[in-house]
């Protein structure tokens, strides 16, 4: 099972980016999906998460600025980031709670490789 994130880059303050993350491999089911970020010298923090049914949760710092969504059929989660600020600069990681397919497996936490988002003028 793997998570592959994409969509990061360099953007000016006030700009937008859309991150995508797709899960692949022998997957029986996916529960919670979400995004975390880690800025230099800081701990990794939750940005947003979304349940299989579509219930969302956001960090206070990104409410009304970021939107998380998912496509269950595509095993994907997205993060639309608008009005980006300098302090949004970080490596963004996708995360998912996944039940791999096959006997003996159980629900586990999986992480993507991280995608760099840099907000700079």
């Amino acid at each position: 099972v793997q998570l592959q994130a994409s969509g990061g880059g360099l953007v000016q303050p006030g700009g937008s980016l859309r991150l995508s993350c797709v899960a692949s491999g022998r997957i029986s089911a996916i529960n919670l999906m979400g995004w975390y970020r880690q800025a230099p010298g800081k701990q990794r923090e939750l940005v947003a998460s979304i349940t299989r049914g579509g219930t969302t949760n956001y960090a206070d710092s990104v409410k009304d600025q970021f939107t998380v969504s998912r496509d269950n059929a595509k095993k994907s989660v997205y993060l639309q980031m608008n009005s980006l600020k300098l302090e949004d600069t970080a490596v963004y990681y996708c995360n998912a709670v996944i039940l791999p397919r096959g006997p003996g497996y159980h629900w586990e936490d999986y992480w993507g490789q991280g995608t760099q988002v840099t907000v700079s003028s």
Side-chain angles (χ1 to χ4, degrees):
V1 174
Q2 288 186 330
L3 292 177
Q4 180 68 43
S6 61
L10 174 64
V11 63
Q12 292 186 341
S16 297
L17 281 175
R18 178 178 165 88
L19 304 183
S20 300
C21 177
V22 59
S24 62
R26 294 175 57 82
I27 295 172
S28 179
I30 302 176
N31 197 346
L32 193 68
M33 302 185 84
W35 293 91
Y36 287 71
R37 68 185 179 186
Q38 187 167 19
K42 295 189 177 181
Q43 289 188 331
R44 189 175 298 189
E45 62 175 359
L46 173 68
V47 176
S49 63
I50 182 168
T51 67
R52 183 173 178 81
T55 300
T56 57
N57 179 48
Y58 294 94
D60 288 342
S61 58
V62 304
K63 282 180 180 177
D64 301 321
Q65 181 189 358
F66 291 2
T67 301
V68 62
S69 61
R70 66 189 281 174
D71 185 327
N72 292 328
K74 294 183 178 179
K75 299 184 179 67
S76 296
V77 62
Y78 310 97
L79 187 68
Q80 178 66 44
M81 304 185 293
N82 298 328
S83 304
L84 282 161
K85 308 169 186 175
L86 298 177
E87 53 264 39
D88 294 317
T89 295
V91 178
Y92 284 71
Y93 298 90
C94 62
N95 170 266
V97 180
I98 296 174
L99 178 64
R101 187 183 308 164
Y105 285 103
H106 52 273
W107 291 97
E108 288 190 28
D109 229 9
Y110 289 85
W111 293 89
Q113 83 284 9
T115 184
Q116 177 71 47
V117 171
T118 302
V119 184
S120 175
S121 55

